[in-house]
């Protein structure tokens, strides 16, 4: 039985430069490996929208032009090669 592992997504907001740095641990435990990561954002509870699709080797992303005064939630989704 394969056990799945969690992906921990962390954010660091820089209000002076209007950027958010996201970083996460890479997903393990798929025999075929990770095909891609997707970063999803939900601004002020308006629904989840795909922000970016990334390579399986990526574990960081800087988002720019973030506007103050909004609540933004992020989530990450890993997809397997099979």
């Amino acid at each position: 039985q394969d056990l799945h592992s969690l992906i921990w997504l962390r954010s660091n907001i820089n209000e002076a430069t209007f950027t958010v740095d996201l970083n996460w641990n890479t997903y393990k435990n798929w025999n075929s490996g990770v095909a891609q990561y997707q970063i999803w954002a939900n601004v002020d509870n308006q629904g989840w929208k795909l922000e970016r699709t990334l390579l399986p080797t990526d574990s960081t992303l800087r988002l720019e032009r973030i506007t103050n005064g909004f609540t933004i939630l992020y989530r990450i989704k890993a997809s397997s090669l099979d």
Side-chain angles (χ1 to χ4, degrees):
Q1 174 181 344
D2 289 338
L3 297 176
H4 292 281
S5 63
L6 294 176
I7 301 175
W8 295 102
L9 177 63
R10 296 171 216 61
S11 64
N12 184 29
I13 300 166
N14 186 327
E15 293 181 9
T17 60
F18 301 102
T19 60
V20 175
D21 290 323
L22 301 177
N23 62 69
W24 58 92
N25 60 295
T26 56
Y27 186 81
K28 308 280 189 243
N29 297 339
W30 277 327
N31 291 332
S32 62
V34 173
Q36 66 183 14
Y37 292 104
Q38 292 179 333
I39 303 294
W40 293 78
N42 186 339
V43 179
D44 277 348
N45 207 26
Q46 296 296 310
W48 291 99
K49 294 185 180 171
L50 180 61
E51 184 73 33
R52 197 84 44 97
T53 300
L54 302 165
L55 297 172
T57 53
D58 290 334
S59 62
T60 63
L61 174 65
R62 173 168 282 176
L63 298 171
E64 299 178 345
R65 299 181 303 276
I66 303 299
T67 305
N68 285 336
F70 293 96
T71 299
I72 306 174
L73 303 175
Y74 294 101
R75 69 180 178 190
I76 186 167
K77 177 185 177 187
S79 300
S80 70
L81 284 169
D82 34 297

